[in-house]
Amino acid sequence: KSMSKAGHISTVEADLMFAKILSKKQKAQGTIKASAVAGRMEFDEFIVALKQISAKIYPDLDNDEALLKLVEDKILPLEK
């Protein structure tokens, strides 16, 4: 269940996603990566996070549409 208001995710949800993505990759590789120890995501992990965030923010859209909407509504406007 989401702890956030519509169209947003909470800081707790974001932190949990971050930790889960990094730990899942560590388990798959059987090692602890330097990026995980330093608390950083690699690009492929960042894309996974964006997909998870977009699914939470736009649950009524399919995955591709949700990701596109996230980029258009929340990321691109930051460039201005």
Side-chain angles (χ1 to χ4, degrees):
K1 182 179 175 185
S2 177
M3 299 175 282
S4 57
K5 58 184 178 178
H8 297 84
I9 64 167
S10 71
T11 304
V12 172
E13 286 175 307
D15 288 343
L16 290 172
M17 282 183 207
F18 179 82
K20 185 175 181 179
I21 290 168
L22 292 181
S23 69
K24 188 179 286 187
K25 190 159 191 176
Q26 286 176 352
K27 287 178 186 175
Q29 294 177 340
T31 61
I32 296 178
K33 297 181 62 176
S35 63
V37 173
R40 294 183 298 178
M41 286 185 174
E42 293 182 15
F43 186 75
D44 61 324
E45 296 163 330
F46 176 68
I47 298 300
V48 169
L50 287 180
K51 289 178 180 179
Q52 290 181 2
I53 291 166
S54 66
K56 281 206 171 279
I57 293 176
Y58 307 108
D60 296 333
L61 300 177
D62 72 32
N63 291 340
D64 291 336
E65 290 175 352
L67 181 58
L68 181 60
K69 187 154 179 65
L70 177 74
V71 170
E72 289 175 345
D73 293 354
K74 308 288 185 184
I75 297 172
L76 291 179
L78 298 173
E79 183 61 27
K80 295 179 183 176

